[in-house]
């Protein structure tokens, strides 16, 4: 009597080698994708937010140095808690960076704003 196995993804009968688990490459790929979504959920969330932050900082900082209301960036999906590194200037102000795009939180005329900058070679150390 031959024992039949079913694909764990789609349920169809698996044909071929005795150790084969999936009916197709597509089902194997779907299973691996779903596993990754579960096991790497935190990483994927952080990575997604970093990409959003970088995209917004790039979009709003065309000149390399600009100021924008923080509410404008946040309304677009920006989250200042997600950044890759920081740089402290001589005044002691700490710029947070998302890769090559940085921001500094400031209060200007009673309004929360961000000073947006682009990474410069002198910021290395």
């Amino acid at each position: 009597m031959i024992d039949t196995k079913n694909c764990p993804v789609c349920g169809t009968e698996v044909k071929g080698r005795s150790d084969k688990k999936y009916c197709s490459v597509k089902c194997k790929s779907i299973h691996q994708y779903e596993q990754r979504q579960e096991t790497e959920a935190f990483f994927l969330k952080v990575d997604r937010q970093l990409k959003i932050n970088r995209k917004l900082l790039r979009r709003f900082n065309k000149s390399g140095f600009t100021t924008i209301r923080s509410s404008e960036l946040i309304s677009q999906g920006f989250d200042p808690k997600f950044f890759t590194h920081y740089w402290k200037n001589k005044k002691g102000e700490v710029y947070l960076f998302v890769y090559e795009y940085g921001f500094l939180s400031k209060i200007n005329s009673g309004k929360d704003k961000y000073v947006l900058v682009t990474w410069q070679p002198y910021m290395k150390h």
Side-chain angles (χ1 to χ4, degrees):
M1 182 153 95
I2 299 174
D3 210 15
T4 60
K5 286 194 282 186
N6 291 336
C7 177
V9 176
C10 69
T12 61
E13 186 179 338
V14 177
K15 296 178 182 174
R17 295 186 333 262
S18 62
D19 62 338
K20 192 173 177 183
K21 294 180 183 176
Y22 305 96
C23 66
S24 67
V25 174
K26 180 181 175 184
C27 281
K28 182 178 180 181
S29 179
I30 289 169
H31 180 74
Q32 289 172 339
Y33 175 79
E34 289 171 351
Q35 286 295 108
R36 184 168 185 244
Q37 294 301 307
E38 290 175 20
T39 59
E40 297 186 21
F42 180 75
F43 164 78
L44 295 170
K45 177 186 175 211
V46 171
D47 189 52
R48 191 170 22 258
Q49 188 60 53
L50 285 172
K51 287 177 182 176
I52 290 168
N53 283 0
R54 183 181 180 276
K55 179 180 80 174
L56 290 169
L57 290 172
R58 184 179 68 201
R59 182 191 315 155
F60 285 102
N61 189 11
K62 301 268 189 227
S63 67
F65 183 84
T66 192
T67 304
I68 186 172
R69 284 191 188 141
S70 60
S71 59
E72 176 68 24
L73 268 179
I74 291 168
S75 72
Q76 299 285 322
F78 183 79
D79 188 339
K81 294 180 294 212
F82 291 84
F83 57 92
T84 57
H85 60 289
Y86 66 91
W87 174 74
K88 191 179 205 178
N89 68 10
K90 290 179 181 175
K91 296 179 192 174
E93 299 170 318
V94 177
Y95 286 81
L96 303 177
F97 278 82
V98 181
Y99 303 106
E100 72 273 33
Y101 300 103
F103 61 99
L104 171 67
S105 183
K106 286 246 184 190
I107 297 176
N108 193 348
S109 304
K111 298 190 184 208
D112 289 331
K113 297 192 176 191
Y114 287 128
V115 176
L116 306 182
V117 297
T118 304
W119 184 261
Q120 301 296 317
Y122 69 85
M123 296 175 172
K124 269 186 179 173
H125 298 290

